[in-house]
Amino acid sequence: MAMTGQSSCSTMSNHTKERVTMAKVTLENFYSNLITQHEEREMRQQKLEKVMDQEGLADEEKRIRRSQHARKETEFLRLKRTRLGLEDFESLKVIGRGAFGEVRLVQKKDTGHVYAMKILRKADMLEKEQVGHIRAERDILVEADSLWVVKMFYSFQDKMNLYLIMEFLPGGDMMTLLMKMDTLTEEATQFYIAETVLAIDSIHQLGFIHRDIKPDNLLLDSRGHVKLSDFGLCTGLKRAHRTEFYKNLNHSLPSDLTFQNMNSKRKAETWKRNRRQLAFSTVGTPDYIAPEVFMQNGYNKLCDWWSLGVIMYEMLIGYPPFCSETPQETYRKVMNWRETLIFPPEVPISEKAKDLILRFCCEEEHRIGAAGVEEIKSNPFFEGVDYDHIRERPAAIPIEIKSIDDTSHFDEFPDSDILQPTVTTVSNQTEADLKNKDWVFINYTYKRFEGLTARGAIPSYMKSGKR
C-alpha cells in the first residue's frame, strides 16, 4: 500500500499539485481569518473597557458607549462583506513612481477621505519574483498598528494590479527634504534620528527586521514627524524573503556621477543630481545596506542601526559616506568601511555626532543597540531628548499644509496608463491564465476597522490647512 501511495503521488500532474496547493492555502486562510477576526474584536472590546475605566465613566455612560461600539462592530461586519474596488476611489494625482508600480493620491468617493494608493503590477511581481516581498509588506502593515508606521486602511486586487490604500502623509519623504537642504543642523538631525530610532524599535519589538532603512522610506506626516514605510524587504515573517535586491550590483550609474578628486560640496551636488534616478530604478542604491547583509551569512536587527548611521552621516555631511560612481564601487566601499568611512574636514561636525555615527557603522558585535534600544537612546548625542513626548512636540522643520490634497512636498510625475490595461496585455492572457496566477495573491484583501467605521471624520488640519 505504501508503494502504491508513493507511486500515485509521484505521478500527480503539476496542474493537480497546484490545485491541491490552492485548496490548502484557501482553507488555511479561511480559518486563520476567522480566528484573527475574533481576536481583533476581543482586543477592541478590551481597549474600550480600559479607556472607559481610565475616564471614570458612570455605569449609564458605559452602557451607552458599549451600545455605540456594538453598532460599529455590526457596521464593520456588514461593510467588510462589501466588495471594495478601484471604482470606489477617485484618482487625483500621481505622487510617486517606482520599478514595479506607482503611488497615487486618491479620494474615497463615499467618505471624502484622501489616501495614498500604492499600485503594483501583478505581472511584474511574478516576473521579478517579488510575491514574497509584497506579501511581507501587506502582512506587516496589517500587524504593525503603530504611530511610527504608515497606516494601511485597505488592500485589494483586480486582474492586473494589487492595491494598498495607505494614509496620505503630506510632508513627503526624507529623501526629498535632504535634497532641498544642503545639510541639516545637529539639532534637526538629533530630532529626526531620535524619531527614527523609536520607529525602528517599534517594528523590532514585533519581531521584524526592516532591512531597507533609507531616506526614501522615512515619510513625514502633516506636522513633520517621521513614519516608517516600504516593508517589501522586511524579514521575520512566516518565510524568509529573497535577497535578489542586492545581487544586481554591476549596473553603472549615470556617467557624470564621478566622485574622484571632488570636494564635499561637489560630491553633495552630484549625489543629489542623480539620487532621484537611483530611487526609481530597479537597481536602487546599496549605500545604506549593512555589510553583513551583503555577505548573506546571517544577520539580525542590528543591520537597521547601521543604515541609520549612514542616514545620520548624510544629514550632517550632505551625502552618504560610501557614495561612488557605480553600485559595485559603493559595495566595495561598504565592505571596506574601516578605510572608507571618513569625515571631510571642510564640513565640521561635533565629536558627539561623529562618535554616534561610528557606533552605528561598525562591526556587528560592537554596534550600538546590541544591548537594546536604551543603549542608543541614552547616547550623549541625544542629550535633552524627551522620547515620551517627542511626537507631541513641534517638528524640527515644520510642514505647511494648505489643503486636504496638498502635494507640494512631492515631485511632479506625468500621468500613466497603469489603471488602463492595454489590449495586448488582455489578449495575451486568457481569463484562465489570470485566474491561475491570482491564487498566489490569495487573502490579499484587507479592511481596517477604523477605515470602515470612521465615516466623515476628516482630520481638522485637513479642513483648515493647519494643525
Side-chain angles (χ1 to χ4, degrees), residues 113-178:
H113 290 186
V114 168
Y115 300 99
M117 174 189 279
K118 187 172 183 176
I119 308 164
L120 296 162
R121 290 180 292 266
K122 283 184 179 180
D124 289 350
M125 296 290 101
L126 291 162
E127 184 185 343
K128 306 291 184 184
E129 297 186 311
Q130 297 291 309
V131 175
H133 294 165
I134 188 60
R135 169 67 64 181
E137 178 170 37
R138 179 259 183 216
D139 289 350
I140 289 160
L141 289 170
V142 168
E143 192 168 335
D145 189 8
S146 162
L147 283 173
W148 297 107
V149 173
V150 61
K151 191 183 286 290
M152 181 181 77
F153 289 97
Y154 316 103
S155 60
F156 56 91
Q157 58 181 298
D158 58 25
K159 291 176 184 176
M160 298 299 167
N161 301 316
L162 300 173
Y163 303 90
L164 294 166
I165 308 298
M166 330 275 283
E167 64 177 318
F168 171 53
L169 299 179
D173 60 38
M174 185 60 64
M175 177 181 72
T176 305
L177 181 66
L178 291 177

Side-chain angles (χ1 to χ4, degrees), residues 96-102 120-121 124-125 128 130 133 175 212 214 216-217 230 233 244-254 257 271 273-289 325-328 330 411 413:
R97 187 159 285 145
F100 303 110
E102 65 184 31
L120 296 162
R121 290 180 292 266
D124 289 350
M125 296 290 101
K128 306 291 184 184
Q130 297 291 309
H133 294 165
M175 177 181 72
D212 198 22
K214 57 186 177 183
D216 323 41
N217 295 337
D230 206 338
L233 291 179
E244 276 85 357
F245 179 83
Y246 307 115
K247 289 180 180 175
N248 201 0
L249 295 172
N250 57 355
H251 287 234
S252 293
L253 300 188
L257 190 56
W271 167 255
R273 191 164 61 247
N274 294 279
R275 180 63 171 87
R276 186 72 62 187
Q277 186 174 337
L278 285 170
F280 300 151
S281 72
T282 53
V283 180
T285 170
D287 282 87
Y288 307 94
I289 300 166
E325 189 173 350
T326 65
Q328 272 203 322
T330 299
D411 282 343
F413 294 91

Side-chain angles (χ1 to χ4, degrees), residues 447-458:
K447 297 181 179 111
R448 189 175 290 277
F449 180 78
E450 298 93 327
L452 286 182
T453 56
R455 293 180 163 266
I458 297 175

